[in-house]
PDB file of all heavy atoms in Angstrom:
ATOM      1  N   ASP A  13     -27.282 114.521  67.614  1.00  0.00           N
ATOM      2  CA  ASP A  13     -26.029 114.008  68.132  1.00  0.00           C
ATOM      3  C   ASP A  13     -26.192 112.694  68.916  1.00  0.00           C
ATOM      4  O   ASP A  13     -27.010 112.662  69.874  1.00  0.00           O
ATOM      5  CB  ASP A  13     -25.449 115.115  69.094  1.00  0.00           C
ATOM      6  CG  ASP A  13     -24.067 114.787  69.597  1.00  0.00           C
ATOM      7  OD1 ASP A  13     -23.671 113.623  69.523  1.00  0.00           O
ATOM      8  OD2 ASP A  13     -23.441 115.710  70.108  1.00  0.00           O
ATOM      9  N   LYS A  14     -25.539 111.718  68.487  1.00  0.00           N
ATOM     10  CA  LYS A  14     -25.695 110.295  69.172  1.00  0.00           C
ATOM     11  C   LYS A  14     -25.361 110.363  70.598  1.00  0.00           C
ATOM     12  O   LYS A  14     -25.831 109.545  71.345  1.00  0.00           O
ATOM     13  CB  LYS A  14     -24.813 109.344  68.400  1.00  0.00           C
ATOM     14  CG  LYS A  14     -25.275 108.967  67.000  1.00  0.00           C
ATOM     15  CD  LYS A  14     -26.576 108.167  67.061  1.00  0.00           C
ATOM     16  CE  LYS A  14     -26.932 107.621  65.690  1.00  0.00           C
ATOM     17  NZ  LYS A  14     -27.290 108.676  64.726  1.00  0.00           N
ATOM     18  N   ASN A  15     -24.515 111.328  71.006  1.00  0.00           N
ATOM     19  CA  ASN A  15     -24.181 111.432  72.478  1.00  0.00           C
ATOM     20  C   ASN A  15     -25.210 112.172  73.285  1.00  0.00           C
ATOM     21  O   ASN A  15     -25.105 112.279  74.483  1.00  0.00           O
ATOM     22  CB  ASN A  15     -22.819 112.144  72.622  1.00  0.00           C
ATOM     23  CG  ASN A  15     -21.709 111.342  72.030  1.00  0.00           C
ATOM     24  OD1 ASN A  15     -21.618 110.132  72.287  1.00  0.00           O
ATOM     25  ND2 ASN A  15     -20.760 111.959  71.312  1.00  0.00           N
ATOM     26  N   LYS A  16     -26.286 112.676  72.556  1.00  0.00           N
ATOM     27  CA  LYS A  16     -27.272 113.462  73.301  1.00  0.00           C
ATOM     28  C   LYS A  16     -28.625 112.716  73.410  1.00  0.00           C
ATOM     29  O   LYS A  16     -29.610 113.271  73.778  1.00  0.00           O
ATOM     30  CB  LYS A  16     -27.442 114.813  72.644  1.00  0.00           C
ATOM     31  CG  LYS A  16     -26.147 115.666  72.680  1.00  0.00           C
ATOM     32  CD  LYS A  16     -26.432 117.080  72.304  1.00  0.00           C
ATOM     33  CE  LYS A  16     -27.052 117.907  73.393  1.00  0.00           C
ATOM     34  NZ  LYS A  16     -27.089 119.351  73.034  1.00  0.00           N
ATOM     35  N   TYR A  17     -28.643 111.461  72.982  1.00  0.00           N
ATOM     36  CA  TYR A  17     -29.855 110.710  73.201  1.00  0.00           C
ATOM     37  C   TYR A  17     -29.552 109.229  73.411  1.00  0.00           C
ATOM     38  O   TYR A  17     -28.569 108.672  72.899  1.00  0.00           O
ATOM     39  CB  TYR A  17     -30.900 110.861  72.115  1.00  0.00           C
ATOM     40  CG  TYR A  17     -30.616 110.151  70.771  1.00  0.00           C
ATOM     41  CD1 TYR A  17     -31.247 108.932  70.521  1.00  0.00           C
ATOM     42  CD2 TYR A  17     -29.821 110.640  69.793  1.00  0.00           C
ATOM     43  CE1 TYR A  17     -31.047 108.267  69.302  1.00  0.00           C
ATOM     44  CE2 TYR A  17     -29.612 110.032  68.593  1.00  0.00           C
ATOM     45  CZ  TYR A  17     -30.210 108.829  68.372  1.00  0.00           C
ATOM     46  OH  TYR A  17     -30.022 108.174  67.105  1.00  0.00           O
ATOM     47  N   GLU A  18     -30.422 108.536  74.194  1.00  0.00           N
ATOM     48  CA  GLU A  18     -30.317 107.155  74.434  1.00  0.00           C
ATOM     49  C   GLU A  18     -31.638 106.489  74.106  1.00  0.00           C
ATOM     50  O   GLU A  18     -32.670 107.102  74.160  1.00  0.00           O
ATOM     51  CB  GLU A  18     -29.912 106.856  75.891  1.00  0.00           C
ATOM     52  CG  GLU A  18     -31.016 107.334  76.857  1.00  0.00           C
ATOM     53  CD  GLU A  18     -30.678 106.980  78.320  1.00  0.00           C
ATOM     54  OE1 GLU A  18     -29.828 106.221  78.612  1.00  0.00           O
ATOM     55  OE2 GLU A  18     -31.398 107.499  79.224  1.00  0.00           O
ATOM     56  N   VAL A  19     -31.584 105.243  73.724  1.00  0.00           N
ATOM     57  CA  VAL A  19     -32.788 104.442  73.450  1.00  0.00           C
ATOM     58  C   VAL A  19     -32.855 103.265  74.440  1.00  0.00           C
ATOM     59  O   VAL A  19     -31.907 102.538  74.542  1.00  0.00           O
ATOM     60  CB  VAL A  19     -32.825 103.922  71.971  1.00  0.00           C
ATOM     61  CG1 VAL A  19     -34.036 103.024  71.759  1.00  0.00           C
ATOM     62  CG2 VAL A  19     -32.832 105.105  71.031  1.00  0.00           C
ATOM     63  N   ILE A  20     -33.981 103.190  75.157  1.00  0.00           N
ATOM     64  CA  ILE A  20     -34.146 102.145  76.199  1.00  0.00           C
ATOM     65  C   ILE A  20     -35.217 101.203  75.750  1.00  0.00           C
ATOM     66  O   ILE A  20     -36.394 101.616  75.619  1.00  0.00           O
ATOM     67  CB  ILE A  20     -34.441 102.757  77.526  1.00  0.00           C
ATOM     68  CG1 ILE A  20     -33.390 103.774  77.950  1.00  0.00           C
ATOM     69  CG2 ILE A  20     -34.639 101.687  78.573  1.00  0.00           C
ATOM     70  CD1 ILE A  20     -33.711 104.565  79.174  1.00  0.00           C
ATOM     71  N   ILE A  21     -34.908  99.991  75.490  1.00  0.00           N
ATOM     72  CA  ILE A  21     -35.863  98.979  75.156  1.00  0.00           C
ATOM     73  C   ILE A  21     -36.253  98.200  76.382  1.00  0.00           C
ATOM     74  O   ILE A  21     -35.319  97.602  77.048  1.00  0.00           O
ATOM     75  CB  ILE A  21     -35.319  98.005  74.063  1.00  0.00           C
ATOM     76  CG1 ILE A  21     -34.830  98.751  72.832  1.00  0.00           C
ATOM     77  CG2 ILE A  21     -36.390  96.960  73.679  1.00  0.00           C
ATOM     78  CD1 ILE A  21     -35.946  99.424  72.008  1.00  0.00           C
ATOM     79  N   ILE A  22     -37.494  98.163  76.791  1.00  0.00           N
ATOM     80  CA  ILE A  22     -37.919  97.452  77.969  1.00  0.00           C
ATOM     81  C   ILE A  22     -38.725  96.195  77.446  1.00  0.00           C
ATOM     82  O   ILE A  22     -39.806  96.371  76.848  1.00  0.00           O
ATOM     83  CB  ILE A  22     -38.797  98.270  78.850  1.00  0.00           C
ATOM     84  CG1 ILE A  22     -38.081  99.536  79.269  1.00  0.00           C
ATOM     85  CG2 ILE A  22     -39.174  97.473  80.097  1.00  0.00           C
ATOM     86  CD1 ILE A  22     -36.832  99.316  80.110  1.00  0.00           C
ATOM     87  N   ASN A  23     -38.198  95.056  77.623  1.00  0.00           N
ATOM     88  CA  ASN A  23     -38.842  93.804  77.206  1.00  0.00           C
ATOM     89  C   ASN A  23     -39.842  93.262  78.266  1.00  0.00           C
ATOM     90  O   ASN A  23     -39.536  92.962  79.375  1.00  0.00           O
ATOM     91  CB  ASN A  23     -37.733  92.734  76.938  1.00  0.00           C
ATOM     92  CG  ASN A  23     -38.394  91.366  76.623  1.00  0.00           C
ATOM     93  OD1 ASN A  23     -39.339  91.316  75.819  1.00  0.00           O
ATOM     94  ND2 ASN A  23     -37.843  90.326  77.189  1.00  0.00           N
ATOM     95  N   ASP A  24     -41.063  93.267  77.831  1.00  0.00           N
ATOM     96  CA  ASP A  24     -42.217  92.841  78.686  1.00  0.00           C
ATOM     97  C   ASP A  24     -42.511  91.369  78.427  1.00  0.00           C
ATOM     98  O   ASP A  24     -43.559  91.003  77.923  1.00  0.00           O
ATOM     99  CB  ASP A  24     -43.401  93.708  78.453  1.00  0.00           C
ATOM    100  CG  ASP A  24     -44.614  93.398  79.342  1.00  0.00           C
ATOM    101  OD1 ASP A  24     -44.414  92.666  80.325  1.00  0.00           O
ATOM    102  OD2 ASP A  24     -45.747  93.819  78.986  1.00  0.00           O
ATOM    103  N   PHE A  25     -41.557  90.517  78.811  1.00  0.00           N
ATOM    104  CA  PHE A  25     -41.695  89.051  78.741  1.00  0.00           C
ATOM    105  C   PHE A  25     -42.131  88.556  77.333  1.00  0.00           C
ATOM    106  O   PHE A  25     -43.075  87.869  77.188  1.00  0.00           O
ATOM    107  CB  PHE A  25     -42.741  88.578  79.792  1.00  0.00           C
ATOM    108  CG  PHE A  25     -42.310  88.883  81.195  1.00  0.00           C
ATOM    109  CD1 PHE A  25     -42.772  89.997  81.812  1.00  0.00           C
ATOM    110  CD2 PHE A  25     -41.430  88.055  81.865  1.00  0.00           C
ATOM    111  CE1 PHE A  25     -42.413  90.269  83.097  1.00  0.00           C
ATOM    112  CE2 PHE A  25     -41.001  88.338  83.165  1.00  0.00           C
ATOM    113  CZ  PHE A  25     -41.480  89.446  83.823  1.00  0.00           C
ATOM    114  N   SER A  26     -41.399  89.038  76.319  1.00  0.00           N
ATOM    115  CA  SER A  26     -41.676  88.596  74.922  1.00  0.00           C
ATOM    116  C   SER A  26     -41.458  87.104  74.883  1.00  0.00           C
ATOM    117  O   SER A  26     -40.509  86.492  75.500  1.00  0.00           O
ATOM    118  CB  SER A  26     -40.754  89.272  73.997  1.00  0.00           C
ATOM    119  OG  SER A  26     -41.023  90.693  73.885  1.00  0.00           O
ATOM    120  N   GLU A  27     -42.326  86.487  74.054  1.00  0.00           N
ATOM    121  CA  GLU A  27     -42.306  84.982  73.902  1.00  0.00           C
ATOM    122  C   GLU A  27     -41.899  84.590  72.498  1.00  0.00           C
ATOM    123  O   GLU A  27     -41.963  83.419  72.140  1.00  0.00           O
ATOM    124  CB  GLU A  27     -43.678  84.443  74.200  1.00  0.00           C
ATOM    125  CG  GLU A  27     -44.095  84.714  75.658  1.00  0.00           C
ATOM    126  CD  GLU A  27     -45.566  84.446  75.883  1.00  0.00           C
ATOM    127  OE1 GLU A  27     -46.328  84.589  74.929  1.00  0.00           O
ATOM    128  OE2 GLU A  27     -45.922  84.102  77.030  1.00  0.00           O
ATOM    129  N   ASP A  28     -41.387  85.548  71.694  1.00  0.00           N
ATOM    130  CA  ASP A  28     -40.991  85.263  70.370  1.00  0.00           C
ATOM    131  C   ASP A  28     -39.490  85.614  70.221  1.00  0.00           C
ATOM    132  O   ASP A  28     -38.732  85.529  71.123  1.00  0.00           O
ATOM    133  CB  ASP A  28     -41.838  85.984  69.334  1.00  0.00           C
ATOM    134  CG  ASP A  28     -41.730  87.546  69.496  1.00  0.00           C
ATOM    135  OD1 ASP A  28     -40.979  87.940  70.388  1.00  0.00           O
ATOM    136  OD2 ASP A  28     -42.431  88.251  68.787  1.00  0.00           O
ATOM    137  N   GLU A  29     -39.059  85.992  68.970  1.00  0.00           N
ATOM    138  CA  GLU A  29     -37.630  86.226  68.684  1.00  0.00           C
ATOM    139  C   GLU A  29     -37.249  87.694  68.877  1.00  0.00           C
ATOM    140  O   GLU A  29     -36.232  88.152  68.403  1.00  0.00           O
ATOM    141  CB  GLU A  29     -37.351  85.758  67.328  1.00  0.00           C
ATOM    142  CG  GLU A  29     -37.383  84.285  67.068  1.00  0.00           C
ATOM    143  CD  GLU A  29     -36.450  83.517  68.016  1.00  0.00           C
ATOM    144  OE1 GLU A  29     -35.199  83.909  67.953  1.00  0.00           O
ATOM    145  OE2 GLU A  29     -36.909  82.639  68.704  1.00  0.00           O
ATOM    146  N   THR A  30     -38.100  88.490  69.536  1.00  0.00           N
ATOM    147  CA  THR A  30     -37.823  89.926  69.691  1.00  0.00           C
ATOM    148  C   THR A  30     -36.467  90.193  70.270  1.00  0.00           C
ATOM    149  O   THR A  30     -35.649  90.961  69.644  1.00  0.00           O
ATOM    150  CB  THR A  30     -38.883  90.601  70.587  1.00  0.00           C
ATOM    151  OG1 THR A  30     -40.148  90.415  69.986  1.00  0.00           O
ATOM    152  CG2 THR A  30     -38.612  92.083  70.708  1.00  0.00           C
ATOM    153  N   LEU A  31     -36.092  89.625  71.345  1.00  0.00           N
ATOM    154  CA  LEU A  31     -34.783  89.900  71.986  1.00  0.00           C
ATOM    155  C   LEU A  31     -33.588  89.415  71.061  1.00  0.00           C
ATOM    156  O   LEU A  31     -32.641  90.143  71.025  1.00  0.00           O
ATOM    157  CB  LEU A  31     -34.750  89.163  73.334  1.00  0.00           C
ATOM    158  CG  LEU A  31     -35.379  89.912  74.520  1.00  0.00           C
ATOM    159  CD1 LEU A  31     -35.175  89.099  75.796  1.00  0.00           C
ATOM    160  CD2 LEU A  31     -34.704  91.298  74.674  1.00  0.00           C
ATOM    161  N   ASN A  32     -33.731  88.255  70.479  1.00  0.00           N
ATOM    162  CA  ASN A  32     -32.678  87.789  69.589  1.00  0.00           C
ATOM    163  C   ASN A  32     -32.464  88.776  68.410  1.00  0.00           C
ATOM    164  O   ASN A  32     -31.280  89.031  68.003  1.00  0.00           O
ATOM    165  CB  ASN A  32     -32.964  86.390  69.054  1.00  0.00           C
ATOM    166  CG  ASN A  32     -32.894  85.394  70.155  1.00  0.00           C
ATOM    167  OD1 ASN A  32     -32.175  85.518  71.132  1.00  0.00           O
ATOM    168  ND2 ASN A  32     -33.686  84.268  70.024  1.00  0.00           N
ATOM    169  N   ILE A  33     -33.549  89.277  67.869  1.00  0.00           N
ATOM    170  CA  ILE A  33     -33.385  90.232  66.727  1.00  0.00           C
ATOM    171  C   ILE A  33     -32.713  91.547  67.205  1.00  0.00           C
ATOM    172  O   ILE A  33     -31.813  92.077  66.476  1.00  0.00           O
ATOM    173  CB  ILE A  33     -34.796  90.520  66.159  1.00  0.00           C
ATOM    174  CG1 ILE A  33     -35.352  89.297  65.523  1.00  0.00           C
ATOM    175  CG2 ILE A  33     -34.726  91.637  65.134  1.00  0.00           C
ATOM    176  CD1 ILE A  33     -36.761  89.356  65.061  1.00  0.00           C
ATOM    177  N   ILE A  34     -33.099  92.001  68.400  1.00  0.00           N
ATOM    178  CA  ILE A  34     -32.478  93.212  68.951  1.00  0.00           C
ATOM    179  C   ILE A  34     -30.938  92.969  69.133  1.00  0.00           C
ATOM    180  O   ILE A  34     -30.147  93.831  68.806  1.00  0.00           O
ATOM    181  CB  ILE A  34     -33.128  93.582  70.261  1.00  0.00           C
ATOM    182  CG1 ILE A  34     -34.623  94.010  70.075  1.00  0.00           C
ATOM    183  CG2 ILE A  34     -32.319  94.764  70.963  1.00  0.00           C
ATOM    184  CD1 ILE A  34     -35.315  94.328  71.363  1.00  0.00           C
ATOM    185  N   LYS A  35     -30.543  91.847  69.669  1.00  0.00           N
ATOM    186  CA  LYS A  35     -29.159  91.523  69.889  1.00  0.00           C
ATOM    187  C   LYS A  35     -28.417  91.434  68.566  1.00  0.00           C
ATOM    188  O   LYS A  35     -27.290  91.896  68.467  1.00  0.00           O
ATOM    189  CB  LYS A  35     -29.014  90.206  70.577  1.00  0.00           C
ATOM    190  CG  LYS A  35     -29.513  90.282  72.033  1.00  0.00           C
ATOM    191  CD  LYS A  35     -29.387  88.879  72.755  1.00  0.00           C
ATOM    192  CE  LYS A  35     -29.842  89.008  74.175  1.00  0.00           C
ATOM    193  NZ  LYS A  35     -29.890  87.665  74.866  1.00  0.00           N
ATOM    194  N   GLU A  36     -29.049  90.925  67.477  1.00  0.00           N
ATOM    195  CA  GLU A  36     -28.425  90.866  66.155  1.00  0.00           C
ATOM    196  C   GLU A  36     -28.224  92.279  65.586  1.00  0.00           C
ATOM    197  O   GLU A  36     -27.217  92.563  64.936  1.00  0.00           O
ATOM    198  CB  GLU A  36     -29.277  90.030  65.177  1.00  0.00           C
ATOM    199  CG  GLU A  36     -29.335  88.585  65.517  1.00  0.00           C
ATOM    200  CD  GLU A  36     -30.269  87.824  64.562  1.00  0.00           C
ATOM    201  OE1 GLU A  36     -30.827  88.466  63.674  1.00  0.00           O
ATOM    202  OE2 GLU A  36     -30.436  86.602  64.802  1.00  0.00           O
ATOM    203  N   CYS A  37     -29.168  93.148  65.894  1.00  0.00           N
ATOM    204  CA  CYS A  37     -29.069  94.561  65.393  1.00  0.00           C
ATOM    205  C   CYS A  37     -28.130  95.416  66.174  1.00  0.00           C
ATOM    206  O   CYS A  37     -27.542  96.397  65.635  1.00  0.00           O
ATOM    207  CB  CYS A  37     -30.455  95.207  65.367  1.00  0.00           C
ATOM    208  SG  CYS A  37     -31.699  94.435  64.313  1.00  0.00           S
ATOM    209  N   GLU A  38     -27.935  95.058  67.463  1.00  0.00           N
ATOM    210  CA  GLU A  38     -27.209  95.936  68.357  1.00  0.00           C
ATOM    211  C   GLU A  38     -25.792  96.270  67.930  1.00  0.00           C
ATOM    212  O   GLU A  38     -25.358  97.444  68.024  1.00  0.00           O
ATOM    213  CB  GLU A  38     -27.166  95.260  69.756  1.00  0.00           C
ATOM    214  CG  GLU A  38     -26.812  96.168  70.881  1.00  0.00           C
ATOM    215  CD  GLU A  38     -27.065  95.563  72.220  1.00  0.00           C
ATOM    216  OE1 GLU A  38     -27.492  94.406  72.339  1.00  0.00           O
ATOM    217  OE2 GLU A  38     -26.897  96.272  73.278  1.00  0.00           O
ATOM    218  N   ASN A  39     -25.077  95.321  67.337  1.00  0.00           N
ATOM    219  CA  ASN A  39     -23.699  95.631  66.948  1.00  0.00           C
ATOM    220  C   ASN A  39     -23.610  96.494  65.755  1.00  0.00           C
ATOM    221  O   ASN A  39     -22.580  97.047  65.403  1.00  0.00           O
ATOM    222  CB  ASN A  39     -23.015  94.298  66.631  1.00  0.00           C
ATOM    223  CG  ASN A  39     -22.823  93.436  67.912  1.00  0.00           C
ATOM    224  OD1 ASN A  39     -22.707  93.980  69.014  1.00  0.00           O
ATOM    225  ND2 ASN A  39     -22.794  92.102  67.714  1.00  0.00           N
ATOM    226  N   LYS A  40     -24.745  96.612  65.035  1.00  0.00           N
ATOM    227  CA  LYS A  40     -24.773  97.517  63.788  1.00  0.00           C
ATOM    228  C   LYS A  40     -25.142  98.922  64.132  1.00  0.00           C
ATOM    229  O   LYS A  40     -25.181  99.769  63.217  1.00  0.00           O
ATOM    230  CB  LYS A  40     -25.730  96.900  62.800  1.00  0.00           C
ATOM    231  CG  LYS A  40     -25.471  95.406  62.405  1.00  0.00           C
ATOM    232  CD  LYS A  40     -26.559  94.905  61.570  1.00  0.00           C
ATOM    233  CE  LYS A  40     -26.417  93.373  61.341  1.00  0.00           C
ATOM    234  NZ  LYS A  40     -27.552  92.847  60.559  1.00  0.00           N
ATOM    235  N   LEU A  41     -25.600  99.192  65.377  1.00  0.00           N
ATOM    236  CA  LEU A  41     -26.133 100.493  65.729  1.00  0.00           C
ATOM    237  C   LEU A  41     -25.087 101.352  66.404  1.00  0.00           C
ATOM    238  O   LEU A  41     -24.282 100.817  67.238  1.00  0.00           O
ATOM    239  CB  LEU A  41     -27.344 100.327  66.646  1.00  0.00           C
ATOM    240  CG  LEU A  41     -28.524  99.461  66.118  1.00  0.00           C
ATOM    241  CD1 LEU A  41     -29.544  99.246  67.210  1.00  0.00           C
ATOM    242  CD2 LEU A  41     -29.180 100.168  64.912  1.00  0.00           C
ATOM    243  N   SER A  42     -25.048 102.608  66.073  1.00  0.00           N
ATOM    244  CA  SER A  42     -24.156 103.555  66.742  1.00  0.00           C
ATOM    245  C   SER A  42     -24.788 104.395  67.867  1.00  0.00           C
ATOM    246  O   SER A  42     -24.082 105.019  68.643  1.00  0.00           O
ATOM    247  CB  SER A  42     -23.566 104.497  65.704  1.00  0.00           C
ATOM    248  OG  SER A  42     -24.622 105.313  65.052  1.00  0.00           O
ATOM    249  N   MET A  43     -26.116 104.258  67.928  1.00  0.00           N
ATOM    250  CA  MET A  43     -26.823 105.031  69.016  1.00  0.00           C
ATOM    251  C   MET A  43     -26.587 104.297  70.357  1.00  0.00           C
ATOM    252  O   MET A  43     -26.278 103.129  70.394  1.00  0.00           O
ATOM    253  CB  MET A  43     -28.315 105.142  68.723  1.00  0.00           C
ATOM    254  CG  MET A  43     -29.029 103.826  68.653  1.00  0.00           C
ATOM    255  SD  MET A  43     -30.766 104.090  68.167  1.00  0.00           S
ATOM    256  CE  MET A  43     -31.400 102.362  68.200  1.00  0.00           C
ATOM    257  N   HIS A  44     -26.837 105.002  71.450  1.00  0.00           N
ATOM    258  CA  HIS A  44     -26.698 104.426  72.741  1.00  0.00           C
ATOM    259  C   HIS A  44     -27.962 103.601  73.100  1.00  0.00           C
ATOM    260  O   HIS A  44     -29.074 104.122  73.165  1.00  0.00           O
ATOM    261  CB  HIS A  44     -26.518 105.492  73.859  1.00  0.00           C
ATOM    262  CG  HIS A  44     -25.199 106.266  73.687  1.00  0.00           C
ATOM    263  ND1 HIS A  44     -23.988 105.753  74.094  1.00  0.00           N
ATOM    264  CD2 HIS A  44     -24.942 107.448  73.140  1.00  0.00           C
ATOM    265  CE1 HIS A  44     -23.073 106.624  73.869  1.00  0.00           C
ATOM    266  NE2 HIS A  44     -23.564 107.683  73.246  1.00  0.00           N
ATOM    267  N   LEU A  45     -27.792 102.302  73.179  1.00  0.00           N
ATOM    268  CA  LEU A  45     -28.977 101.419  73.294  1.00  0.00           C
ATOM    269  C   LEU A  45     -28.873 100.671  74.583  1.00  0.00           C
ATOM    270  O   LEU A  45     -27.818 100.003  74.871  1.00  0.00           O
ATOM    271  CB  LEU A  45     -29.036 100.474  72.159  1.00  0.00           C
ATOM    272  CG  LEU A  45     -30.200  99.479  72.142  1.00  0.00           C
ATOM    273  CD1 LEU A  45     -31.596 100.156  72.006  1.00  0.00           C
ATOM    274  CD2 LEU A  45     -30.028  98.436  70.981  1.00  0.00           C
TER     275      LEU A  45
END
């Protein structure tokens, strides 16, 4: 159940495109992120 779990991404000072890719994916995801 999507309402019974959350996903927490903790960015440890990434120096590449990690954050931008996550933002691009975020709108396509139904889970709590």
Side-chain angles (χ1 to χ4, degrees):
D13 186 344
K14 290 291 189 293
N15 293 317
K16 299 190 77 172
Y17 77 96
E18 62 175 349
V19 175
I20 304 171
I21 305 291
I22 306 295
N23 175 40
D24 182 15
F25 299 97
S26 292
E27 299 167 330
D28 62 0
E29 293 300 308
T30 299
L31 275 181
N32 290 332
I33 293 173
I34 294 174
K35 289 177 182 178
E36 290 176 4
C37 296
E38 198 167 2
N39 294 330
K40 306 173 187 177
L41 302 173
S42 60
M43 64 184 181
H44 295 281
L45 180 66

